[in-house]
Amino acid sequence: SDFHSIWVDDVFEGAYKDTSFGVYESRLNIEEYVTSKYIKSALSIFKGLILCYQFNKPTLSNTIVATKRDFGIKNIPSIWWIIIAVTILLYSILFSYLCYYYWLTTEFDFDLFIMSAGFILASIFVFSYLFKKFYNATYKFKKIKLEDVEFDKRFNVYSDNQIEARYLLTPSFMERFINLQTAFGTKKIKCSFVGDRIVFAISTKKDLFEIGHLFTSMKSTKQIDKLYDEIVSIIEMIDYFKLNERTGL
């Protein structure tokens, strides 16, 4: 999604096996200005770990992989839910007026109440469906349906080049990507192929890369071991996804 500001906690960059990488523990925000010009609030669209690796198989297209029902892509929900909210508000005003009118003129008609409520819900559903269809039709990334049924159930794939997307998302890559989600214990994970870079966005509320806190004994090595394991796991992804190789995935 588009974002207006970024808040960064821990950042480090390096290279391993001639493959450069960057690690960014970040939060991406959409800034929303309130009525007062001195006050503004930030709506977070992502919080977690962004991993950027050099990709030795440069692509000409852009391909995105995202967990199903992850609304942190394409900025759909902010527009979608606002339109639904406005629709509900308008129908509520109309329905309240009709109820008030019938209450003054005659007895309450329960059948009319059910029909009106059903009409409102059906209108919202149809309106939302048409909007989503229109948005997807005008969006430059098209949804790609893969042959791997299990992967297709768990993730959505969008690309502006279907042939290259299928070349990139090999069975071995998809298997590793699922394992990566399991290893980090997250429900939301995204991946993007852009030019000579591959970017992973792993949603997590954990405070990573911390060597200790106020209630940790300085004699304990658990936090140091944990920090070491977190850094090593980031570097090992180059081997895991074979990012340093120029052929195959």
Side-chain angles (χ1 to χ4, degrees):
S1 297
D2 296 330
F3 61 92
H4 301 143
S5 65
I6 180 171
W7 176 88
V8 180
D9 185 5
D10 297 312
V11 173
F12 59 90
E13 299 175 336
Y16 173 69
K17 291 188 176 180
D18 297 325
T19 301
S20 61
F21 66 90
V23 180
Y24 314 93
E25 191 179 6
S26 312
R27 184 171 68 234
L28 308 181
N29 302 318
I30 297 177
E31 292 181 352
E32 295 181 333
Y33 292 88
V34 193
T35 50
S36 172
K37 65 179 180 180
Y38 301 106
I39 304 175
K40 63 180 180 180
S41 62
L43 174 65
S44 178
I45 61 169
F46 173 82
K47 183 180 185 300
L49 201 59
I50 297 176
L51 311 173
C52 182
Y53 296 91
Q54 181 182 351
F55 192 50
N56 286 319
K57 293 170 277 290
T59 62
L60 300 176
S61 61
N62 294 335
T63 299
I64 300 171
V65 182
T67 313
K68 292 275 189 182
R69 294 174 295 278
D70 184 351
F71 297 119
I73 59 172
K74 301 199 296 184
N75 289 80
I76 286 180
S78 56
I79 302 173
W80 194 15
W81 289 116
I82 287 174
I83 292 178
I84 292 176
V86 171
T87 305
I88 293 175
L89 178 62
L90 293 175
Y91 273 111
S92 298
I93 294 172
L94 176 61
F95 184 68
S96 299
Y97 172 77
L98 289 175
C99 287
Y100 181 70
Y101 173 78
Y102 277 99
W103 180 72
L104 290 177
T105 57
T106 184
E107 295 182 359
F108 181 76
D109 192 334
F110 184 75
D111 292 337
L112 178 65
F113 176 83
I114 296 298
M115 289 175 61
S116 301
F119 179 73
I120 291 173
L121 293 175
S123 299
I124 293 172
F125 175 79
V126 171
F127 187 79
S128 303
Y129 177 80
L130 292 176
F131 172 77
K132 189 175 181 181
K133 282 289 185 184
F134 172 78
Y135 191 94
N136 287 335
T138 56
Y139 190 63
K140 70 174 182 177
F141 291 99
K142 303 303 178 185
K143 189 173 181 179
I144 309 297
K145 188 171 180 63
L146 301 174
E147 295 179 0
D148 191 318
V149 178
E150 181 62 29
F151 191 85
D152 198 57
K153 284 181 180 178
R154 299 176 63 172
F155 300 97
N156 286 325
V157 178
Y158 302 93
S159 180
D160 53 8
N161 188 320
Q162 184 174 159
I163 297 175
E164 195 166 64
R166 295 182 184 279
Y167 161 74
L168 293 170
L169 300 177
T170 61
S172 58
F173 181 89
M174 289 187 285
E175 181 182 357
R176 295 184 189 112
F177 192 68
I178 291 175
N179 292 340
L180 179 65
Q181 182 187 24
T182 304
F184 274 89
T186 179
K187 293 182 179 180
K188 295 181 180 180
I189 183 171
K190 293 182 278 288
C191 171
S192 176
F193 298 87
V194 184
D196 64 344
R197 296 283 167 178
I198 179 172
V199 180
F200 297 92
I202 304 169
S203 299
T204 177
K205 295 181 180 179
K206 297 178 181 177
D207 192 7
L208 303 172
F209 313 115
E210 298 299 324
I211 201 167
H213 52 77
L214 184 62
F215 303 102
T216 302
S217 171
M218 295 182 65
K219 297 179 181 179
S220 174
T221 61
K222 289 183 178 180
Q223 285 297 115
I224 298 176
D225 293 338
K226 180 175 175 290
L227 172 64
Y228 175 80
D229 290 339
E230 289 171 348
I231 295 176
V232 169
S233 67
I234 301 302
I235 297 173
E236 285 181 339
M237 285 179 64
I238 294 173
D239 290 327
Y240 188 64
F241 284 98
K242 301 181 180 179
L243 302 179
N244 59 315
E245 298 181 8
R246 297 186 179 277
T247 56
L249 279 178

